[in-house]
Amino acid sequence: MKLSVCIDAVYMGKSLDEAIKGVKAAGLNAVEFWTWEDKELSLLEASRKEGLEIAAFCTGFISLVEAEKREEYLESLKETIRTAKRLGCSRIISQTGAEISISRKEQHRNLADGLRACAPCLEENGITLVVEPLNIRVDHAGYYLYSSDEAAEIMKEVGSPNVKMLFDIYHQQITEGDLIRRIKKYIPYIGHFHAAGNPGRHELYRSEINYKTIFEAIRETGYDGYVGLEYFPEDEVQKGLEFAKQVLL
């Protein structure tokens, strides 16, 4: 297991250069971010040559539950894949879009069909797309996919090793809890983790979640990918990163 730092959250308001230097100063070597279009890609390339890993970043925010937007999503995905290959990144993050005024059964089918359409391009390029459930009780009212249970069903339906779930520990604690059982059950379908304290979405030590126990449970599954720190610091940034290193590493 490895830590990556979501610089758009942890270093919100800082320049890309400041964020990269901060991550390195903390003794970490992997970053992730939300949007790539606004990033200085040449700086990320140069930093990668100096040992920085690009763990993940997002594709375009285009609805997957609206069948009529599928081609637009696929074109955006292809562009994101090109950027990912340029940055040596093998994992990209997707949201599903907001719930719309058709049945959830139909939206579920649209989402699964859309991801199935993405699979050949992902497999051809060696890129994994991780689809993220988000909580709708606190942060993302109206979002379609909030349950890891439904996400796992969709991954089974899609049936591609290059389409998986992003299990955000913060979001799933709010939505459904029972974290360790779900992580162990769904680990074959999980391609990335996010972590933040709950309530508040701050440092991991500001939390009702026992992250030491959670990380031990993830490690026991054999997962060897990234856990992305995606929180908004209340304290000095290095303090939160140091704590995360202690409980994970």
Side-chain angles (χ1 to χ4, degrees):
M1 288 170 64
K2 301 167 283 189
L3 283 177
S4 64
V5 181
C6 178
I7 55 178
D8 284 337
V10 176
Y11 288 93
M12 180 174 281
K14 303 291 185 182
S15 70
L16 178 59
D17 185 55
E18 287 176 296
I20 290 171
K21 287 178 179 176
V23 170
K24 289 181 177 179
L28 296 170
N29 67 347
V31 301
E32 56 185 83
F33 40 89
W34 297 328
T35 54
W36 60 265
E37 296 91 343
D38 59 343
K39 298 295 184 295
E40 191 177 343
L41 298 183
S42 59
L43 176 56
L44 288 167
E45 286 180 300
S47 297
R48 182 171 168 252
K49 290 177 182 177
E50 296 173 0
L52 187 76
E53 297 285 337
I54 313 299
F57 57 90
C58 295
T59 190
F61 297 98
I62 300 165
S63 175
L64 274 163
V65 298
E66 299 179 61
E68 60 271 23
K69 293 188 177 180
R70 188 169 302 154
E71 288 304 315
E72 182 184 358
Y73 183 92
L74 288 168
E75 286 306 308
S76 174
L77 177 68
K78 290 173 184 177
E79 191 174 3
T80 303
I81 287 173
R82 286 192 288 271
T83 302
K85 294 183 77 170
R86 174 180 172 182
L87 296 177
C89 175
S90 62
R91 190 175 291 96
I92 52 181
I93 300 167
S94 180
Q95 276 79 52
T96 66
E99 189 166 0
I100 57 176
S101 58
I102 59 175
S103 71
R104 283 194 64 87
K105 182 178 180 180
E106 189 172 351
Q107 290 175 85
H108 179 111
R109 184 170 61 249
N110 287 345
L111 176 52
D113 287 347
L115 292 172
R116 199 176 291 113
C118 295
C121 185
L122 293 163
E123 292 167 6
E124 178 183 344
N125 287 282
I127 302 291
T128 298
L129 183 70
V130 289
V131 182
E132 186 171 21
L134 303 173
N135 85 78
I136 60 174
R137 288 175 57 250
V138 177
D139 300 291
H140 299 281
Y143 184 75
Y144 175 77
L145 185 65
Y146 52 83
S147 164
S148 66
D149 299 333
E150 183 176 4
E153 289 177 13
I154 290 169
M155 299 308 112
K156 292 176 190 176
E157 292 168 22
V158 173
S160 170
N162 293 74
V163 181
K164 295 198 171 188
M165 177 199 324
L166 193 168
F167 194 101
D168 188 306
I169 298 162
Y170 162 80
H171 285 302
Q172 297 321 122
Q173 168 69 355
I174 293 171
T175 298
E176 54 201 3
D178 200 8
L179 296 169
I180 290 175
R181 188 186 66 82
R182 282 188 162 89
I183 288 167
K184 289 185 174 181
K185 181 179 180 181
Y186 297 143
I187 197 66
Y189 307 107
I190 295 173
H192 197 60
F193 285 92
H194 277 166
N198 182 59
R201 207 174 184 183
H202 302 306
E203 289 88 347
L204 303 193
Y205 53 78
R206 292 179 175 271
S207 185
E208 66 187 4
I209 304 167
N210 185 334
Y211 268 104
K212 186 175 190 303
T213 301
I214 295 292
F215 288 163
E216 286 173 355
I218 296 171
R219 187 176 288 108
E220 287 171 3
T221 69
Y223 176 80
D224 61 357
Y226 285 101
V227 175
L229 301 175
E230 189 187 45
Y231 61 77
F232 304 97
E234 285 279 277
D235 302 322
E236 194 273 326
V237 169
Q238 299 300 328
K239 180 180 177 182
L241 298 183
E242 189 59 37
F243 179 87
K245 285 170 57 182
Q246 290 173 5
V247 295
L248 179 68
L249 307 177

